[in-house]
């Protein structure tokens, strides 16, 4: 069994309440940080831990914190990104639902480290139950003297506010999120300046993912070096993975980074193998934005190395033969899945969610969706496959924010690894028109299975 740092007490009845969370050792990190450490000490521990942002890009958290500008007399903000809208990703929602105090505790520790006295949790607008849960948790922490003025008698003041999101995937992009938090339409900003210099209301701001913030709790409790002992290379600590698709045990799992992909898919501790004993066809390892991997590249890399659940191993081979850990949205496709249909489904999502600011994304996502629909429904030509390739290439790297890349990469990888399936649709128009299956279910089950 791998070590659990975030979900250690997940099966404890009442762990969502302040009383049980505290009884299980909760808020020790706040006491330790505020009473025995300086803010810089906390930043140092997070640096030592090697923690990388769990929102998708994997940027080192301690390094990001050290970029925060500290001009005199200007407030600094911590903003927690709980917008979680990437298809296949439902780990933050799980954490907020079942152990909300882990996030609140991480918010206090992280805000202290950054010198923030007002912090926000920007929660996807559709997640009303989680918004209520977090508000309740904040009220409980405040009643216990862990929030508000003079926390635990240390002189440190902090208020945390929960902000319902704007109801769009783009609001998860950190600068769009800040625009939305300021009450405007969630359009991404041109960078630089980065939020660390000019973020919320033009003030220095750190935006971090729910899981990144919650991970600061075990880091402070046990020390950054202990945290860094888990994992391999620059992939330290544990990671929440939301697993879905054609697997026997969909749900949210906490893994030690470095577990092999094969073990994650087939062992009973995690996904429990492919449903109905079918064979594995493809894998989307890190949420809908990352390149799909075909069966021959899932458990082994092109160089013949065992494929591991780490940032480095999943990326081995670049986009030619690798992918990304991303947000940890792990979607497994069995032999019956239609790659064209699944790719079209993602393309439809990105078209719907493009904010429209940049022409390559606004026009390109819709165009890709149309061409994919045409091919999937048996009306495509071989030229359409080349056209699709051309469109995605013209989107990638040509937009203000990475939503354009996120839309282009899945299409590129699908054509790169499964061109024969696209051609099959062109060559078999009648069968294509009749087929109405092969779409993976990548939403979370109502009651996620957890180890
Ligand atoms: C279109 C788009 C949507 C995003 N959605 C989320 C999200 O829901 N949650 C998240 O943490 N990061 C999301 N990100 C990444 C954020 O911009 C940012 O990198 C992240 O919140 C930083 O936190 P981290 O360093 O802790 O990972 C998204 C990025 C893009 C381009």
């Amino acid at each position: 069994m791998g070590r659990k740092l975030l979900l250690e007490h997940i099966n404890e009845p009442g762990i969502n309440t302040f009383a049980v969370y505290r009884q299980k050792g909760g808020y020790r990190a706040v006491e330790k940080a505020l009473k025995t450490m300086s803010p810089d000490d906390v930043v140092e521990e997070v640096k030592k831990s090697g923690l990388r942002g769990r929102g998708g890009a994997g940027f080192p958290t301690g390094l990001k914190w050290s970029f925060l500008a500290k001009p005199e007399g200007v407030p600094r903000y911590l903003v927690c990104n709980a917008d979680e809208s990437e298809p296949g990703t439902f780990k933050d929602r799980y954490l907020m639902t079942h152990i909300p105090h882990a996030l609140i505790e991480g918010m206090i520790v992280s805000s202290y480290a950054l010198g923030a006295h007002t912090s926000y949790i920007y929660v996807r607008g559709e997640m009303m139950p989680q918004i209520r849960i977090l508000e309740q948790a904040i009220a409980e922490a405040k009643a216990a003297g862990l929030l508000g003025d003079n926390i635990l008698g240390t002189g440190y003041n902090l208020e945390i506010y929960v902000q319902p999101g704007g109801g769009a995937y783009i609001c998860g992009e950190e600068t769009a999120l800040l625009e939305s938090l300021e009450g405007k339409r969630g359009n991404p900003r041109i960078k630089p300046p980065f939020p660390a210099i000019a973020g919320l209301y033009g003030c220095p701001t750190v935006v971090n993912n729910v899981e990144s913030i919650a991970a600061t709790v075990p880091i402070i409790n046990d020390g950054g070096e202990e945290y860094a002992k888990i994992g391999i290379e620059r992939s330290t600590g544990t990671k929440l993975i939301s697993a879905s698709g054609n697997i026997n045990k969909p749900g949210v799992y906490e893994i030690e980074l470095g577990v092999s992909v094969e073990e994650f898919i087939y062992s009973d501790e995690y996904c429990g193998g492919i449903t109905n004993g079918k064979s594995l066809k493809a894998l989307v390892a890190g949420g809908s934005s990352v390149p799909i991997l075909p069966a021959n590249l899932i458990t082994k890399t092109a160089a013949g190395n065992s494929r591991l659940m780490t940032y480095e191993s999943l990326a081995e081979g670049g986009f030619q033969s690798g992918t990304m850990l991303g947000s940890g949205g792990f979607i497994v496709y069995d032999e019956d899945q239609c790659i064209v249909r699944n790719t079209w489904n993602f393309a439809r999502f990105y078209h719907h969610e493009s904010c429209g600011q940049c022409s390559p994304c606004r026009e390109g996502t819709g165009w890709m969706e149309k061409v994919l629909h045409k091919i999937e429904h048996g009306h495509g030509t071989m030229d359409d496959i080349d056209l699709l390739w051309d469109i995605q290439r013209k989107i990638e790297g040509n937009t203000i924010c990475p939503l354009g890349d996120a839309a282009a990469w899945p299409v590129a990888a699908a054509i790169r690894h499964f061109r024969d399936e696209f051609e099959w649709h062109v060559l078999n128009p009648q069968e294509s028109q009749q087929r109405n299956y092969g779409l993976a279910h990548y939403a979370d089950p109502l009651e996620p299975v957890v180890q």
Side-chain angles (χ1 to χ4, degrees):
M1 280 286 260
R3 264 168 294 181
K4 311 281 174 253
L5 302 180
L6 299 175
L7 301 183
E8 187 185 357
H9 300 297
I10 186 73
N11 292 321
E12 194 66 39
I15 193 68
N16 57 329
T17 64
F18 179 80
V20 176
Y21 183 76
R22 190 86 165 116
Q23 192 197 334
K24 287 283 151 197
Y27 289 104
R28 266 189 305 134
V30 171
E31 295 198 38
K32 184 173 175 185
L34 271 58
K35 289 184 176 169
T36 69
M37 298 168 79
S38 71
D40 285 347
D41 290 342
V42 177
V43 175
E44 210 40 52
E45 283 311 311
V46 173
K47 273 191 185 164
K48 275 192 219 156
S49 74
L51 174 68
R52 292 171 65 176
R54 305 300 197 215
F59 194 82
T61 306
L63 188 61
K64 186 186 214 172
W65 288 10
S66 65
F67 292 153
L68 190 70
K70 296 179 177 160
E72 271 300 304
V74 177
R76 287 165 235 154
Y77 297 106
L78 170 67
V79 178
C80 171
N81 190 343
D83 198 52
E84 198 172 61
S85 321
E86 173 108 347
T89 308
F90 43 89
K91 63 177 181 85
D92 295 340
R93 172 160 47 143
Y94 186 78
L95 193 78
M96 292 188 287
T97 308
H98 298 286
I99 322 184
H101 285 283
L103 175 59
I104 304 304
E105 183 171 11
M107 286 292 291
I108 302 171
V109 168
S110 307
S111 301
Y112 173 72
L114 299 169
H117 297 287
T118 305
S119 298
Y120 296 90
I121 308 176
Y122 183 95
V123 187
R124 177 175 170 172
E126 290 91 336
M127 295 190 200
M128 277 319 288
Q130 287 69 28
I131 289 171
R132 292 199 192 96
I133 289 168
L134 289 173
E135 279 174 344
Q136 166 79 17
I138 288 170
E140 286 175 328
K142 200 162 184 180
L146 289 153
L147 274 175
D149 288 342
N150 193 19
I151 296 173
L152 300 175
T154 60
Y156 176 61
N157 309 330
L158 174 68
E159 295 293 344
I160 300 177
Y161 298 100
V162 179
Q163 173 65 40
Y169 171 65
I170 193 63
C171 290
E173 193 281 331
E174 58 183 8
T175 59
L177 186 156
L178 295 174
E179 287 286 294
S180 173
L181 194 52
E182 290 178 5
K184 294 178 258 174
R185 182 188 159 96
N187 279 358
R189 297 175 182 169
I190 292 174
K191 294 188 257 186
F194 289 92
I197 308 296
L200 188 64
Y201 307 118
C203 300
T205 303
V206 164
V207 181
N208 270 137
N209 173 257
V210 170
E211 188 187 344
S212 316
I213 291 174
T216 61
V217 174
I219 290 170
I220 294 308
N221 279 334
D222 305 333
E225 276 169 19
E226 269 313 297
Y227 188 88
K229 283 183 190 159
I230 304 174
I232 298 177
E233 295 177 65
R234 288 181 56 242
S235 299
T236 60
T238 65
K239 172 91 190 81
L240 297 180
I241 304 290
S242 38
S244 64
N246 305 120
I247 47 173
N248 287 318
K249 291 169 59 193
V252 176
Y253 296 96
E254 182 171 11
I255 59 160
E256 288 189 21
L257 286 167
V259 166
S260 78
V261 173
E262 188 163 16
E263 181 183 349
F264 186 68
I265 295 177
Y266 291 103
S267 86
D268 278 341
E269 191 182 340
Y270 304 115
C271 303
I274 313 293
T275 35
N276 302 319
K278 294 204 169 155
S279 62
L280 179 60
K281 177 171 187 176
L283 171 69
V284 174
S288 58
S289 312
V290 309
I292 191 168
L293 282 181
N296 63 320
L297 293 173
I298 295 175
T299 57
K300 289 257 185 285
T301 67
N305 299 320
S306 190
R307 184 84 79 182
L308 309 177
M309 300 284 280
T310 64
Y311 293 94
E312 294 80 12
S313 177
L314 283 165
E316 193 184 315
F319 280 6
Q320 284 306 314
S321 61
T323 182
M324 292 158 78
L325 180 62
S327 58
F330 194 90
I331 311 169
V332 176
Y333 294 164
D334 74 13
E335 58 193 277
D336 292 338
Q337 291 296 325
C338 171
I339 299 300
V340 181
R341 189 170 173 80
N342 278 286
T343 309
W344 163 60
N345 194 41
F346 285 166
R348 194 167 52 151
F349 170 80
Y350 288 110
H351 176 213
H352 185 260
E353 298 299 330
S354 171
C355 79
Q357 264 196 122
C358 314
S359 331
C361 177
R362 183 186 62 237
E363 302 302 324
T365 52
W367 199 2
M368 287 198 303
E369 197 232 307
K370 282 199 188 95
V371 177
L372 277 159
H373 186 270
K374 189 178 164 196
I375 297 172
E376 207 275 321
H377 285 72
H379 304 293
T381 64
M382 292 296 179
D383 284 349
D384 284 330
I385 305 174
D386 295 330
L387 174 65
L388 202 51
W389 180 262
D390 208 37
I391 303 170
Q392 66 78 23
R393 282 199 58 191
K394 291 196 167 102
I395 300 175
E396 191 195 355
N398 291 320
T399 53
I400 291 175
C401 91
L403 189 141
D405 302 337
W409 292 338
V411 173
I415 300 176
R416 182 178 294 121
H417 299 302
F418 295 96
R419 194 179 173 103
D420 55 337
E421 272 199 41
F422 287 78
E423 291 178 357
W424 182 90
H425 281 273
V426 171
L427 297 171
N428 298 278
Q430 276 184 337
E431 275 185 71
S432 296
Q433 284 160 29
Q434 283 155 12
R435 268 170 32 137
N436 188 22
Y437 63 90
L439 188 60
H441 178 73
Y442 50 78
D444 54 324
L446 286 177
E447 283 301 322
V449 183
V450 162
Q451 59 272 47

